[in-house]
PDB file of all heavy atoms in Angstrom:
ATOM      1  N   LYS A 106     -10.788  -9.236   9.150  1.00 90.00           N
ATOM      2  CA  LYS A 106     -11.628  -8.393   8.353  1.00 90.00           C
ATOM      3  C   LYS A 106     -11.366  -8.560   6.929  1.00 90.00           C
ATOM      4  O   LYS A 106     -11.892  -7.743   6.163  1.00 90.00           O
ATOM      5  CB  LYS A 106     -11.621  -7.014   8.903  1.00 90.00           C
ATOM      6  CG  LYS A 106     -12.127  -6.774  10.250  1.00 90.00           C
ATOM      7  CD  LYS A 106     -11.902  -5.350  10.755  1.00 90.00           C
ATOM      8  CE  LYS A 106     -12.515  -5.123  12.110  1.00 90.00           C
ATOM      9  NZ  LYS A 106     -12.414  -3.710  12.526  1.00 90.00           N
ATOM     10  N   ASN A 107     -10.352  -9.290   6.531  1.00 89.00           N
ATOM     11  CA  ASN A 107      -9.934  -9.417   5.194  1.00 89.00           C
ATOM     12  C   ASN A 107      -9.581  -7.990   4.590  1.00 89.00           C
ATOM     13  O   ASN A 107      -9.950  -7.594   3.419  1.00 89.00           O
ATOM     14  CB  ASN A 107     -10.960 -10.094   4.187  1.00 89.00           C
ATOM     15  CG  ASN A 107     -11.211 -11.461   4.490  1.00 89.00           C
ATOM     16  OD1 ASN A 107     -10.280 -12.125   5.045  1.00 89.00           O
ATOM     17  ND2 ASN A 107     -12.313 -11.968   4.206  1.00 89.00           N
ATOM     18  N   THR A 108      -8.765  -7.225   5.392  1.00 93.00           N
ATOM     19  CA  THR A 108      -8.505  -5.864   4.965  1.00 93.00           C
ATOM     20  C   THR A 108      -7.002  -5.472   5.345  1.00 93.00           C
ATOM     21  O   THR A 108      -6.314  -5.845   6.348  1.00 93.00           O
ATOM     22  CB  THR A 108      -9.275  -4.919   5.771  1.00 93.00           C
ATOM     23  OG1 THR A 108     -10.721  -5.205   5.405  1.00 93.00           O
ATOM     24  CG2 THR A 108      -8.996  -3.422   5.292  1.00 93.00           C
ATOM     25  N   MET A 109      -6.275  -4.902   4.395  1.00 95.00           N
ATOM     26  CA  MET A 109      -5.000  -4.290   4.515  1.00 95.00           C
ATOM     27  C   MET A 109      -4.908  -2.913   4.570  1.00 95.00           C
ATOM     28  O   MET A 109      -5.857  -2.281   3.859  1.00 95.00           O
ATOM     29  CB  MET A 109      -4.019  -4.929   3.541  1.00 95.00           C
ATOM     30  CG  MET A 109      -2.555  -4.357   3.571  1.00 95.00           C
ATOM     31  SD  MET A 109      -1.495  -4.896   2.244  1.00 95.00           S
ATOM     32  CE  MET A 109      -2.267  -4.181   0.823  1.00 95.00           C
ATOM     33  N   TYR A 110      -4.232  -2.317   5.320  1.00 98.00           N
ATOM     34  CA  TYR A 110      -4.021  -0.818   5.430  1.00 98.00           C
ATOM     35  C   TYR A 110      -2.782  -0.247   5.102  1.00 98.00           C
ATOM     36  O   TYR A 110      -1.646  -0.800   5.281  1.00 98.00           O
ATOM     37  CB  TYR A 110      -4.522  -0.389   6.945  1.00 98.00           C
ATOM     38  CG  TYR A 110      -5.699  -0.928   7.438  1.00 98.00           C
ATOM     39  CD1 TYR A 110      -5.765  -2.091   8.069  1.00 98.00           C
ATOM     40  CD2 TYR A 110      -7.018  -0.322   7.121  1.00 98.00           C
ATOM     41  CE1 TYR A 110      -6.981  -2.571   8.683  1.00 98.00           C
ATOM     42  CE2 TYR A 110      -8.203  -0.838   7.462  1.00 98.00           C
ATOM     43  CZ  TYR A 110      -8.160  -2.041   8.249  1.00 98.00           C
ATOM     44  OH  TYR A 110      -9.393  -2.578   8.781  1.00 98.00           O
ATOM     45  N   LEU A 111      -2.788   1.105   4.611  1.00 98.00           N
ATOM     46  CA  LEU A 111      -1.608   1.762   4.379  1.00 98.00           C
ATOM     47  C   LEU A 111      -1.886   3.081   5.173  1.00 98.00           C
ATOM     48  O   LEU A 111      -2.623   3.939   4.664  1.00 98.00           O
ATOM     49  CB  LEU A 111      -1.441   2.071   2.998  1.00 98.00           C
ATOM     50  CG  LEU A 111      -0.016   2.924   2.635  1.00 98.00           C
ATOM     51  CD1 LEU A 111       1.210   2.235   3.049  1.00 98.00           C
ATOM     52  CD2 LEU A 111       0.051   3.157   1.103  1.00 98.00           C
ATOM     53  N   GLN A 112      -1.217   3.302   6.304  1.00 98.00           N
ATOM     54  CA  GLN A 112      -1.202   4.627   7.022  1.00 98.00           C
ATOM     55  C   GLN A 112      -0.168   5.453   6.444  1.00 98.00           C
ATOM     56  O   GLN A 112       0.997   5.148   6.597  1.00 98.00           O
ATOM     57  CB  GLN A 112      -1.171   4.376   8.545  1.00 98.00           C
ATOM     58  CG  GLN A 112      -1.127   5.580   9.400  1.00 98.00           C
ATOM     59  CD  GLN A 112      -2.410   6.289   9.306  1.00 98.00           C
ATOM     60  OE1 GLN A 112      -3.553   5.652   9.540  1.00 98.00           O
ATOM     61  NE2 GLN A 112      -2.363   7.550   9.012  1.00 98.00           N
ATOM     62  N   MET A 113      -0.459   6.614   6.013  1.00 98.00           N
ATOM     63  CA  MET A 113       0.355   7.649   5.368  1.00 98.00           C
ATOM     64  C   MET A 113       0.419   8.720   6.280  1.00 98.00           C
ATOM     65  O   MET A 113      -0.517   9.534   6.444  1.00 98.00           O
ATOM     66  CB  MET A 113      -0.061   7.876   3.952  1.00 98.00           C
ATOM     67  CG  MET A 113      -0.015   6.617   3.042  1.00 98.00           C
ATOM     68  SD  MET A 113      -0.495   7.094   1.374  1.00 98.00           S
ATOM     69  CE  MET A 113      -2.173   7.679   1.552  1.00 98.00           C
ATOM     70  N   ASN A 114       1.641   9.052   6.773  1.00 98.00           N
ATOM     71  CA  ASN A 114       1.849  10.260   7.626  1.00 98.00           C
ATOM     72  C   ASN A 114       2.921  11.250   6.873  1.00 98.00           C
ATOM     73  O   ASN A 114       3.670  10.733   6.105  1.00 98.00           O
ATOM     74  CB  ASN A 114       2.397   9.939   9.032  1.00 98.00           C
ATOM     75  CG  ASN A 114       1.260   9.019   9.735  1.00 98.00           C
ATOM     76  OD1 ASN A 114       0.109   9.238   9.666  1.00 98.00           O
ATOM     77  ND2 ASN A 114       1.791   8.210  10.712  1.00 98.00           N
ATOM     78  N   SER A 115       2.963  12.345   7.309  1.00 98.00           N
ATOM     79  CA  SER A 115       3.889  13.369   6.804  1.00 98.00           C
ATOM     80  C   SER A 115       3.904  13.336   5.331  1.00 98.00           C
ATOM     81  O   SER A 115       4.887  13.349   4.656  1.00 98.00           O
ATOM     82  CB  SER A 115       5.245  13.098   7.477  1.00 98.00           C
ATOM     83  OG  SER A 115       5.207  13.134   8.870  1.00 98.00           O
ATOM     84  N   LEU A 116       2.738  13.455   4.643  1.00 98.00           N
ATOM     85  CA  LEU A 116       2.585  13.410   3.296  1.00 98.00           C
ATOM     86  C   LEU A 116       3.276  14.620   2.648  1.00 98.00           C
ATOM     87  O   LEU A 116       3.204  15.722   3.192  1.00 98.00           O
ATOM     88  CB  LEU A 116       1.194  13.383   2.781  1.00 98.00           C
ATOM     89  CG  LEU A 116       0.467  12.025   3.026  1.00 98.00           C
ATOM     90  CD1 LEU A 116      -1.069  12.125   3.102  1.00 98.00           C
ATOM     91  CD2 LEU A 116       1.063  11.061   1.934  1.00 98.00           C
ATOM     92  N   ASN A 117       4.090  14.469   1.618  1.00 95.00           N
ATOM     93  CA  ASN A 117       4.800  15.481   1.009  1.00 95.00           C
ATOM     94  C   ASN A 117       4.430  15.415  -0.514  1.00 95.00           C
ATOM     95  O   ASN A 117       3.822  14.596  -1.055  1.00 95.00           O
ATOM     96  CB  ASN A 117       6.229  15.364   1.111  1.00 95.00           C
ATOM     97  CG  ASN A 117       6.872  14.169   0.593  1.00 95.00           C
ATOM     98  OD1 ASN A 117       6.629  13.736  -0.375  1.00 95.00           O
ATOM     99  ND2 ASN A 117       7.556  13.355   1.508  1.00 95.00           N
ATOM    100  N   PRO A 118       4.913  16.577  -1.335  1.00 92.00           N
ATOM    101  CA  PRO A 118       4.518  16.682  -2.718  1.00 92.00           C
ATOM    102  C   PRO A 118       5.037  15.400  -3.576  1.00 92.00           C
ATOM    103  O   PRO A 118       4.628  15.463  -4.717  1.00 92.00           O
ATOM    104  CB  PRO A 118       5.173  17.911  -3.138  1.00 92.00           C
ATOM    105  CG  PRO A 118       5.323  18.689  -1.827  1.00 92.00           C
ATOM    106  CD  PRO A 118       5.495  17.637  -0.746  1.00 92.00           C
ATOM    107  N   GLU A 119       5.900  14.614  -3.029  1.00 92.00           N
ATOM    108  CA  GLU A 119       6.349  13.393  -3.818  1.00 92.00           C
ATOM    109  C   GLU A 119       5.425  12.142  -3.699  1.00 92.00           C
ATOM    110  O   GLU A 119       5.542  11.210  -4.343  1.00 92.00           O
ATOM    111  CB  GLU A 119       7.843  13.055  -3.376  1.00 92.00           C
ATOM    112  CG  GLU A 119       8.821  14.051  -3.649  1.00 92.00           C
ATOM    113  CD  GLU A 119      10.165  13.566  -3.300  1.00 92.00           C
ATOM    114  OE1 GLU A 119      10.385  12.587  -2.570  1.00 92.00           O
ATOM    115  OE2 GLU A 119      11.239  14.294  -3.837  1.00 92.00           O
ATOM    116  N   ASP A 120       4.365  12.231  -2.786  1.00 97.00           N
ATOM    117  CA  ASP A 120       3.575  11.135  -2.457  1.00 97.00           C
ATOM    118  C   ASP A 120       2.347  11.051  -3.382  1.00 97.00           C
ATOM    119  O   ASP A 120       1.736   9.942  -3.558  1.00 97.00           O
ATOM    120  CB  ASP A 120       3.189  11.112  -1.081  1.00 97.00           C
ATOM    121  CG  ASP A 120       4.267  11.092  -0.152  1.00 97.00           C
ATOM    122  OD1 ASP A 120       5.131  10.235  -0.423  1.00 97.00           O
ATOM    123  OD2 ASP A 120       4.339  11.709   0.894  1.00 97.00           O
ATOM    124  N   PRO A 121       1.927  12.144  -4.127  1.00 97.00           N
ATOM    125  CA  PRO A 121       0.613  12.050  -4.831  1.00 97.00           C
ATOM    126  C   PRO A 121       0.843  11.068  -5.907  1.00 97.00           C
ATOM    127  O   PRO A 121       1.845  10.938  -6.699  1.00 97.00           O
ATOM    128  CB  PRO A 121       0.418  13.430  -5.435  1.00 97.00           C
ATOM    129  CG  PRO A 121       1.123  14.343  -4.509  1.00 97.00           C
ATOM    130  CD  PRO A 121       2.334  13.588  -4.045  1.00 97.00           C
ATOM    131  N   ALA A 122      -0.137  10.101  -6.060  1.00 98.00           N
ATOM    132  CA  ALA A 122      -0.131   9.007  -7.041  1.00 98.00           C
ATOM    133  C   ALA A 122      -1.373   8.238  -6.915  1.00 98.00           C
ATOM    134  O   ALA A 122      -2.235   8.416  -6.047  1.00 98.00           O
ATOM    135  CB  ALA A 122       1.050   8.035  -6.734  1.00 98.00           C
ATOM    136  N   VAL A 123      -1.567   7.358  -7.801  1.00 98.00           N
ATOM    137  CA  VAL A 123      -2.491   6.313  -7.709  1.00 98.00           C
ATOM    138  C   VAL A 123      -1.891   5.131  -6.929  1.00 98.00           C
ATOM    139  O   VAL A 123      -0.802   4.637  -7.346  1.00 98.00           O
ATOM    140  CB  VAL A 123      -3.065   5.853  -8.998  1.00 98.00           C
ATOM    141  CG1 VAL A 123      -4.014   4.659  -8.901  1.00 98.00           C
ATOM    142  CG2 VAL A 123      -3.653   6.918  -9.800  1.00 98.00           C
ATOM    143  N   TYR A 124      -2.521   4.783  -5.950  1.00 98.00           N
ATOM    144  CA  TYR A 124      -2.070   3.675  -4.984  1.00 98.00           C
ATOM    145  C   TYR A 124      -2.882   2.333  -5.341  1.00 98.00           C
ATOM    146  O   TYR A 124      -4.014   2.353  -5.303  1.00 98.00           O
ATOM    147  CB  TYR A 124      -2.155   4.047  -3.499  1.00 98.00           C
ATOM    148  CG  TYR A 124      -1.100   5.065  -3.155  1.00 98.00           C
ATOM    149  CD1 TYR A 124      -1.152   6.425  -3.440  1.00 98.00           C
ATOM    150  CD2 TYR A 124      -0.123   4.688  -2.327  1.00 98.00           C
ATOM    151  CE1 TYR A 124      -0.193   7.282  -3.154  1.00 98.00           C
ATOM    152  CE2 TYR A 124       0.945   5.577  -1.901  1.00 98.00           C
ATOM    153  CZ  TYR A 124       0.781   6.931  -2.297  1.00 98.00           C
ATOM    154  OH  TYR A 124       1.659   7.881  -1.868  1.00 98.00           O
ATOM    155  N   TYR A 125      -1.963   1.307  -5.429  1.00 98.00           N
ATOM    156  CA  TYR A 125      -2.573   0.022  -5.897  1.00 98.00           C
ATOM    157  C   TYR A 125      -2.257  -0.974  -4.804  1.00 98.00           C
ATOM    158  O   TYR A 125      -1.143  -1.056  -4.319  1.00 98.00           O
ATOM    159  CB  TYR A 125      -1.986  -0.486  -7.127  1.00 98.00           C
ATOM    160  CG  TYR A 125      -2.270   0.390  -8.397  1.00 98.00           C
ATOM    161  CD1 TYR A 125      -1.417   1.264  -8.845  1.00 98.00           C
ATOM    162  CD2 TYR A 125      -3.529   0.142  -9.184  1.00 98.00           C
ATOM    163  CE1 TYR A 125      -1.555   2.219  -9.941  1.00 98.00           C
ATOM    164  CE2 TYR A 125      -3.571   0.936 -10.239  1.00 98.00           C
ATOM    165  CZ  TYR A 125      -2.680   1.926 -10.635  1.00 98.00           C
ATOM    166  OH  TYR A 125      -3.024   2.726 -11.722  1.00 98.00           O
ATOM    167  N   CYS A 126      -3.312  -1.650  -4.432  1.00 97.00           N
ATOM    168  CA  CYS A 126      -3.150  -2.828  -3.515  1.00 97.00           C
ATOM    169  C   CYS A 126      -2.907  -4.040  -4.401  1.00 97.00           C
ATOM    170  O   CYS A 126      -3.353  -4.315  -5.390  1.00 97.00           O
ATOM    171  CB  CYS A 126      -4.448  -2.987  -2.847  1.00 97.00           C
ATOM    172  SG  CYS A 126      -4.662  -4.547  -1.793  1.00 97.00           S
ATOM    173  N   VAL A 127      -1.812  -4.969  -3.903  1.00 97.00           N
ATOM    174  CA  VAL A 127      -1.472  -6.125  -4.459  1.00 97.00           C
ATOM    175  C   VAL A 127      -1.513  -7.261  -3.609  1.00 97.00           C
ATOM    176  O   VAL A 127      -1.291  -7.139  -2.317  1.00 97.00           O
ATOM    177  CB  VAL A 127      -0.115  -5.930  -5.121  1.00 97.00           C
ATOM    178  CG1 VAL A 127      -0.233  -4.819  -6.340  1.00 97.00           C
ATOM    179  CG2 VAL A 127       0.951  -5.616  -4.196  1.00 97.00           C
ATOM    180  N   ALA A 128      -1.532  -8.382  -4.136  1.00 94.00           N
ATOM    181  CA  ALA A 128      -1.532  -9.699  -3.333  1.00 94.00           C
ATOM    182  C   ALA A 128      -0.886 -10.769  -4.127  1.00 94.00           C
ATOM    183  O   ALA A 128      -1.042 -10.799  -5.364  1.00 94.00           O
ATOM    184  CB  ALA A 128      -2.904 -10.106  -2.884  1.00 94.00           C
ATOM    185  N   ALA A 129      -0.045 -11.528  -3.502  1.00 93.00           N
ATOM    186  CA  ALA A 129       0.600 -12.670  -4.005  1.00 93.00           C
ATOM    187  C   ALA A 129      -0.279 -13.950  -4.072  1.00 93.00           C
ATOM    188  O   ALA A 129      -1.157 -13.938  -3.246  1.00 93.00           O
ATOM    189  CB  ALA A 129       1.968 -12.933  -3.479  1.00 93.00           C
ATOM    190  N   ASP A 130       0.073 -14.953  -4.859  1.00 87.00           N
ATOM    191  CA  ASP A 130      -0.616 -16.136  -4.778  1.00 87.00           C
ATOM    192  C   ASP A 130       0.316 -17.322  -4.569  1.00 87.00           C
ATOM    193  O   ASP A 130       0.001 -18.682  -4.796  1.00 87.00           O
ATOM    194  CB  ASP A 130      -1.500 -16.449  -6.013  1.00 87.00           C
ATOM    195  CG  ASP A 130      -0.740 -16.636  -7.296  1.00 87.00           C
ATOM    196  OD1 ASP A 130       0.584 -16.324  -7.209  1.00 87.00           O
ATOM    197  OD2 ASP A 130      -1.157 -17.053  -8.312  1.00 87.00           O
ATOM    198  N   ARG A 131       1.443 -17.075  -4.127  1.00 82.00           N
ATOM    199  CA  ARG A 131       2.543 -18.179  -3.911  1.00 82.00           C
ATOM    200  C   ARG A 131       3.671 -17.499  -3.174  1.00 82.00           C
ATOM    201  O   ARG A 131       3.823 -16.213  -2.950  1.00 82.00           O
ATOM    202  CB  ARG A 131       3.185 -18.601  -5.335  1.00 82.00           C
ATOM    203  CG  ARG A 131       3.882 -17.464  -6.084  1.00 82.00           C
ATOM    204  CD  ARG A 131       4.234 -17.951  -7.399  1.00 82.00           C
ATOM    205  NE  ARG A 131       5.099 -16.976  -8.126  1.00 82.00           N
ATOM    206  CZ  ARG A 131       4.735 -15.847  -8.646  1.00 82.00           C
ATOM    207  NH1 ARG A 131       3.408 -15.509  -8.616  1.00 82.00           N
ATOM    208  NH2 ARG A 131       5.561 -15.064  -9.276  1.00 82.00           N
ATOM    209  N   GLY A 132       4.442 -18.284  -2.564  1.00 83.00           N
ATOM    210  CA  GLY A 132       5.743 -17.799  -1.830  1.00 83.00           C
ATOM    211  C   GLY A 132       5.412 -17.158  -0.579  1.00 83.00           C
ATOM    212  O   GLY A 132       4.362 -17.038  -0.112  1.00 83.00           O
ATOM    213  N   THR A 133       6.542 -16.610   0.037  1.00 90.00           N
ATOM    214  CA  THR A 133       6.428 -15.862   1.288  1.00 90.00           C
ATOM    215  C   THR A 133       7.066 -14.396   1.181  1.00 90.00           C
ATOM    216  O   THR A 133       7.146 -13.854   2.076  1.00 90.00           O
ATOM    217  CB  THR A 133       7.183 -16.669   2.404  1.00 90.00           C
ATOM    218  OG1 THR A 133       8.540 -16.895   1.986  1.00 90.00           O
ATOM    219  CG2 THR A 133       6.468 -18.043   2.616  1.00 90.00           C
ATOM    220  N   TYR A 134       7.528 -14.173  -0.013  1.00 94.00           N
ATOM    221  CA  TYR A 134       8.252 -12.718  -0.216  1.00 94.00           C
ATOM    222  C   TYR A 134       7.151 -11.758  -0.117  1.00 94.00           C
ATOM    223  O   TYR A 134       6.079 -11.802  -0.705  1.00 94.00           O
ATOM    224  CB  TYR A 134       8.894 -12.699  -1.525  1.00 94.00           C
ATOM    225  CG  TYR A 134      10.119 -13.679  -1.692  1.00 94.00           C
ATOM    226  CD1 TYR A 134      10.150 -14.516  -2.891  1.00 94.00           C
ATOM    227  CD2 TYR A 134      11.078 -13.898  -0.747  1.00 94.00           C
ATOM    228  CE1 TYR A 134      11.188 -15.306  -3.022  1.00 94.00           C
ATOM    229  CE2 TYR A 134      12.049 -14.779  -0.868  1.00 94.00           C
ATOM    230  CZ  TYR A 134      12.122 -15.474  -2.082  1.00 94.00           C
ATOM    231  OH  TYR A 134      13.120 -16.445  -2.239  1.00 94.00           O
TER     232      TYR A 134
END
């Protein structure tokens, strides 16, 4: 589906943020 997910549980006051999806174009790290 060409989709990645981030399941977030037990959210706390330290978690609010702008979340960014990233992808590499080389390597395996």
Side-chain angles (χ1 to χ4, degrees):
K106 297 182 178 180
N107 291 334
T108 303
M109 178 181 64
Y110 305 97
L111 178 64
Q112 177 66 49
M113 303 182 291
N114 298 326
S115 301
L116 287 161
N117 61 52
E119 295 182 345
D120 295 322
V123 176
Y124 284 72
Y125 298 93
C126 172
V127 297
D130 67 347
R131 66 190 187 280
T133 59
Y134 297 132

